[in-house]
């Protein structure tokens, strides 16, 4: 349950994604060709060829005609916006429990299944974020001497999402897109949303450069919700109190407090003291693990949490399924706790055998794993030497893209990201009201593209400016409506308001071969199934783009 941070890496190269009408291609080709011919006008043959091509193409419409046409199409679209097209009902819906593929995966090649514990095998209720938030703020007041008034702060579940970044230099909490640009409507200083002008004043541009990226820390695991909220609340307190503060000190103190409630065992004791409040039972998990064992697969548990916490949680989760003589331990060939990921993947720490009854570590060397014993610490190098489990025959499930999956991915293991909020976001995307707004957004985006391809800044008449304002306002309304369906502050986890993939999605592409909401979703697929990357990916494999032509029929 430890929270690991990573500075923002250089994001992927920009690729142009879009479609162009035949008029745009024709007119763009003619303009480009004429520009080329002007440069080489001393060559009569090319000049004659240009003239022949121009004569062969239909006469280009004037700017006024094209603007009139765009206005007419926009007015027709607005009339059609009044009702949801019936065609939306016939569009395929994505499975909220589906497995989504970034890299082809043959399950018949997988012989070893490894699992993290928190938010992978064990899933928690929304009450857990409030518990972590409350324990951390109490530690900051009692130990770090933050003002007593801070004890009154309350966790706001409607504010944060996973995958945000905090700028330790400027104090901003932000959502980034796939290319490292700040979401225009997703940058906060404390709990106040910054305007586009304020963002550009602070950063010069929306794009985060390499130097600025050094000050960013990613909040990527499922326990980051309470951390992001507490950071924003503390910044807001200092702003409201008109007190000077260093944004990096706020982050460091909040992060230390969050780490303390985990490492001290406070949050573990709180969960085990009231498991019905915090843990979500799921009998499908046992069914999945037993299916793997029946198929002859090897299973191991690799977690940063202490064994007593894992044991207490697993006993609770499976108490209704196991008989008196059965134990969850019988499902696993190797159990490793306090692994200290991600250092586990790069260090050379030795394994220690843990005595759960005496709560101490043995001094003998570990050169073999006994299924009846529990192991602490260790490293990937020793793990591979002892088990002889190598490369693509191993798949590891985890919720933290950096702490859990980056190391295994680099070691050649296959990786499965467990993203709990995926189910809810797919359910929203499947809803007709969301698809309706998405189609509206795409048709307005296409009309805006045609507008800007037709009119230059110094050509804008009053009629042109009026149309541009209407299109921009209609697009913003569609964006706002879609955003509110997910999260009122930052929108969807996987995409930005502008339709780009988020930075969080970028990291999923990097480190997860497949991703899903729960490990037991694999029960929906045959153990020998071949999982293929979709050939028609628009954004993420689970995302369906609603075509704008739904309003043109």
């Amino acid at each position: 349950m430890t929270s690991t941070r990573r500075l923002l890496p250089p994001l992927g190269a920009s690729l142009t994604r879009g479609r162009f009408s035949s008029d745009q291609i024709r007119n763009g080709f003619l303009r480009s060709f004429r520009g080329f011919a002007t440069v080489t006008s001393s060559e009569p043959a090319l000049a004659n060829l240009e003239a022949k091509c121009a004569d062969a193409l239909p006469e280009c419409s004037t700017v006024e005609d094209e603007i009139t046409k765009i206005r007419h199409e926009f007015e027709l679209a607005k009339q059609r916006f009044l009702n949801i097209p019936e065609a939306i009902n016939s569009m395929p819906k994505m499975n909220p429990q589906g497995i989504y593929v970034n890299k082809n995966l043959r399950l018949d090649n997988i012989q070893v299944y490894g699992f993290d514990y928190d938010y992978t095998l064990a899933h928690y209720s929304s009450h857990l974020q409030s518990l972590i938030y409350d324990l951390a703020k109490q530690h900051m007041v009692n130990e770090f001497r933050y003002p007593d008034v801070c004890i009154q702060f309350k966790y706001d579940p409607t504010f944060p999402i996973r995958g945000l970044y905090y700028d330790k230099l400027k104090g901003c909490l932000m959502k980034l897109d796939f290319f490292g640009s700040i979401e225009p409507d997703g940058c906060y200083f404390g709990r106040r949303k910054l305007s586009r002008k304020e963002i550009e004043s602070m950063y010069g541009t929306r794009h985060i450069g390499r130097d600025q990226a050094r000050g960013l820390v990613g909040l990527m695991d499922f326990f980051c919700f309470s951390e992001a909220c507490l950071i924003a609340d503390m910044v807001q307190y200092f702003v409201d109190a008109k007190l000077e503060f260093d944004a990096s000190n706020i982050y460091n103190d909040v992060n230390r407090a969050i780490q303390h409630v985990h490492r001290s065992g406070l949050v573990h004791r709180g969960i085990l003291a009231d498991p019905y409040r915090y843990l979500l039972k799921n009998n499908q998990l046992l069914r999945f693990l037993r299916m793997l064992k029946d198929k002859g697969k090897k299973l191991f548990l690799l977690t940063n949490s202490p064994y007593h916490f894992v044991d207490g949680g697993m006993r609770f989760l499976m108490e209704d399924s196991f008989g008196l003589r059965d134990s969850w331990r019988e499902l696993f060939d190797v159990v490793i706790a306090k692994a200290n990921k991600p250092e586990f993947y790069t260090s050379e720490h030795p394994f220690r055998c843990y005595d759960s009854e005496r709560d101490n570590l043995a001094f003998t060397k570990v050169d073999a794993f006994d299924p009846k014993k529990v192991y602490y610490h260790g490293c990937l190098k020793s793990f591979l030497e002892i088990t002889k489990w190598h490369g693509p025959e191993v798949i590891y499930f985890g919720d933290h893209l950096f702490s859990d999956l980056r190391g295994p991915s680099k070691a050649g293991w296959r990786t499965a990201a467990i993203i709990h909020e995926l189910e809810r976001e797919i359910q929203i995307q499947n809803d007709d009201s969301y698809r309706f707004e998405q189609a509206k957004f795409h048709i307005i985006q296409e009309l805006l593209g045609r507008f800007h391809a037709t009119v230059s800044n110094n050509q804008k008449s009053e009629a042109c400016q009026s149309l541009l304002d209407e299109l921009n306002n209609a697009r913003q309304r569609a964006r706002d409506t879609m955003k509110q369906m997910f999260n009122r502050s930052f929108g969807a986890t996987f995409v930005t308001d502008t339709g780009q993939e988020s930075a969080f999605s970028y990291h999923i592409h990097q480190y997860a071969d497949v991703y899903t909401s729960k490990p037991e979703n694999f029960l929906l697929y045959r153990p020998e199934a071949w999982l293929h990357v979709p050939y028609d990916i628009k954004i993420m494999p689970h995302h369906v783009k609603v075509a704008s032509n739904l309003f043109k029929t």
Side-chain angles (χ1 to χ4, degrees):
M1 295 172 69
T2 56
S3 177
T4 304
R5 297 290 171 257
R6 170 180 166 83
L7 297 180
L8 177 69
L11 296 182
S14 178
L15 298 176
T16 301
R17 299 177 182 176
R19 296 182 298 173
F20 302 90
S21 68
S22 57
D23 289 340
Q24 287 175 284
I25 295 173
R26 182 183 69 249
N27 295 336
F29 172 79
L30 184 57
R31 285 193 294 271
S32 299
F33 189 85
R34 283 176 175 164
F36 180 82
T38 302
V39 175
T40 59
S41 58
S42 60
E43 301 183 29
L46 287 176
N48 291 335
L49 182 58
E50 179 206 359
K52 290 179 180 179
C53 288
D55 291 339
L57 291 171
E59 182 177 341
C60 296
S61 60
T62 64
V63 171
E64 291 78 8
D65 289 342
E66 181 64 15
I67 292 300
T68 300
K69 185 177 179 182
I70 294 173
R71 162 66 73 180
H72 177 68
E73 291 185 22
F74 183 43
E75 294 300 328
L76 286 177
K78 285 194 292 185
Q79 291 300 314
R80 293 173 179 142
F81 289 168
L82 299 177
N83 298 292
I84 298 178
E86 293 183 3
I88 284 183
N89 296 325
S90 63
M91 291 187 61
K93 295 186 182 296
M94 305 306 290
N95 183 0
Q97 289 82 40
I99 299 173
Y100 295 95
V101 186
N102 291 323
K103 299 175 185 177
N104 293 341
L105 176 65
R106 289 183 54 173
L107 294 182
D108 59 339
N109 287 340
I110 304 298
Q111 303 303 318
V112 182
Y113 285 74
F115 301 91
D116 184 31
Y117 174 70
D118 294 300
Y119 273 107
T120 300
L121 293 179
H123 284 268
Y124 298 96
S125 72
S126 58
H127 298 298
L128 179 59
Q129 299 299 333
S130 295
L131 174 65
I132 296 172
Y133 182 97
D134 290 343
L135 292 172
K137 76 179 180 185
Q138 290 168 11
H139 187 73
M140 294 180 72
V141 171
N142 296 334
E143 301 299 327
F144 300 162
R145 298 296 185 262
Y146 272 67
D148 291 341
V149 69
C150 296
I151 209 72
Q152 300 174 11
F153 294 170
K154 300 293 184 184
Y155 174 68
D156 180 3
T158 68
F159 177 67
I161 63 172
R162 184 159 30 167
L164 299 177
Y165 287 85
Y166 178 70
D167 187 343
K168 294 193 297 181
L169 303 180
K170 294 182 170 63
C172 295
L173 187 68
M174 66 189 72
K175 178 181 176 182
L176 301 181
D177 69 15
F178 192 91
F179 305 108
S181 296
I182 301 172
E183 172 73 71
D185 204 30
C187 184
Y188 283 74
F189 186 69
R191 297 298 292 271
R192 184 178 71 85
K193 183 171 67 175
L194 300 182
S195 67
R196 185 185 291 259
K197 287 185 178 180
E198 288 176 308
I199 294 172
E200 292 178 352
S201 175
M202 277 184 139
Y203 292 95
T205 174
R206 286 199 303 112
H207 185 73
I208 298 294
R210 188 180 297 273
D211 291 338
Q212 293 169 321
R214 294 191 180 98
L216 299 185
V217 286
L219 308 177
M220 294 291 167
D221 63 5
F222 208 83
F223 299 103
C224 71
F225 291 83
S226 47
E227 183 172 8
C229 192
L230 189 54
I231 288 172
D233 288 344
M234 288 298 180
V235 170
Q236 191 62 51
Y237 166 77
F238 280 95
V239 171
D240 292 342
K242 296 180 172 57
L243 298 173
E244 291 187 7
F245 67 97
D246 187 318
S248 64
N249 288 337
I250 297 292
Y251 169 77
N252 291 334
D253 287 345
V254 171
N255 184 252
R256 285 168 55 203
I258 295 286
Q259 295 288 340
H260 170 76
V261 302
H262 287 89
R263 292 172 178 169
S264 66
L266 284 173
V267 70
H268 299 150
R269 290 192 291 273
I271 293 171
L272 294 181
D274 194 357
Y276 285 96
R277 178 176 177 82
Y278 297 111
L279 280 165
L280 300 176
K281 288 194 173 186
N282 180 9
N283 58 9
Q284 293 301 305
L285 174 62
L286 174 61
R287 183 181 161 210
F288 172 55
L289 297 177
R290 277 185 166 161
M291 181 272 290
L292 294 177
K293 292 296 289 185
D294 292 342
K295 293 288 182 179
K297 308 298 183 180
K298 299 294 185 180
L299 276 66
F300 69 92
L301 177 64
L302 178 66
T303 175
N304 285 354
S305 294
Y307 174 73
H308 74 87
F309 173 66
V310 176
D311 183 54
M314 291 294 286
R315 286 175 181 270
F316 172 78
L317 292 173
M318 298 187 176
E319 66 181 359
D320 299 330
S321 303
F322 279 117
L324 294 177
R325 296 182 179 180
D326 293 324
S327 166
W328 67 269
R329 289 270 305 277
E330 296 175 3
L331 297 170
F332 293 90
D333 298 274
V334 183
V335 174
I336 302 169
K338 281 200 171 183
N340 198 31
K341 295 174 294 182
E343 285 79 7
F344 176 89
Y345 300 113
T346 56
S347 73
E348 295 192 5
H349 294 157
F351 283 103
R352 303 284 297 275
C353 189
Y354 174 70
D355 187 330
S356 58
E357 294 183 359
R358 298 182 179 180
D359 190 27
N360 62 17
L361 299 175
F363 296 98
T364 56
K365 180 181 179 180
V366 175
D367 52 16
F369 290 132
D370 185 338
K372 296 180 180 180
K373 295 182 179 179
V374 177
Y375 301 91
Y376 267 25
H377 311 317
C379 64
L380 178 63
K381 180 181 178 181
S382 297
F383 181 84
L384 297 178
E385 290 175 350
I386 294 172
T387 63
K388 311 301 181 185
W389 297 335
H390 291 283
E393 69 173 353
V394 183
I395 186 169
Y396 186 70
F397 293 71
D399 70 296
H400 197 300
L401 298 174
F402 298 144
S403 174
D404 290 332
L405 302 183
R406 182 175 55 175
S409 178
K410 292 183 176 181
W413 288 0
R414 309 310 302 269
T415 53
I418 302 302
I419 306 170
H420 183 66
E421 56 268 45
L422 180 66
E423 280 193 31
R424 176 178 175 270
E425 296 217 353
I426 291 179
Q427 289 168 352
I428 293 172
Q429 291 176 7
N430 283 340
D431 191 85
D432 287 350
S433 60
Y434 174 82
R435 295 185 169 197
F436 180 54
E437 294 298 328
Q438 189 186 30
K440 287 164 61 175
F441 173 80
H442 288 310
I443 193 170
I444 296 168
Q445 190 83 335
E446 289 183 8
L447 292 174
L448 277 167
R450 286 170 53 191
F451 179 94
H452 289 298
T454 303
V455 182
S456 62
N457 287 332
N458 56 6
Q459 286 181 312
K460 289 178 184 174
S461 63
E462 185 175 339
C464 286
Q465 188 62 50
S466 175
L467 175 60
L468 179 61
D469 291 343
E470 288 185 54
L471 288 169
N472 280 328
N473 290 336
R475 180 176 64 176
Q476 189 60 46
R477 285 194 297 272
R479 282 177 176 171
D480 291 342
T481 302
M482 289 189 289
K483 175 181 178 178
Q484 294 295 325
M485 294 180 184
F486 295 98
N487 174 281
R488 68 184 187 186
S489 302
F490 296 99
T493 303
F494 301 93
V495 295
T496 66
D497 298 346
T498 57
Q500 297 282 354
E501 292 174 314
S502 66
F504 181 66
S505 294
Y506 168 80
H507 296 305
I508 295 174
H509 278 297
Q510 269 192 312
Y511 302 124
D513 294 342
V514 297
Y515 62 98
T516 188
S517 61
K518 299 186 291 287
E520 54 268 27
N521 292 341
F522 274 69
L523 286 170
L524 301 175
Y525 300 78
R526 293 181 298 104
E528 301 81 18
W530 292 22
L531 305 180
H532 290 276
V533 177
Y535 72 92
D536 59 345
I537 292 177
K538 299 298 188 295
I539 301 181
M540 293 288 285
H542 71 273
H543 188 94
V544 172
K545 177 179 177 181
V546 179
S548 60
N549 60 15
L550 288 176
F551 291 104
K552 298 178 183 178
T553 57

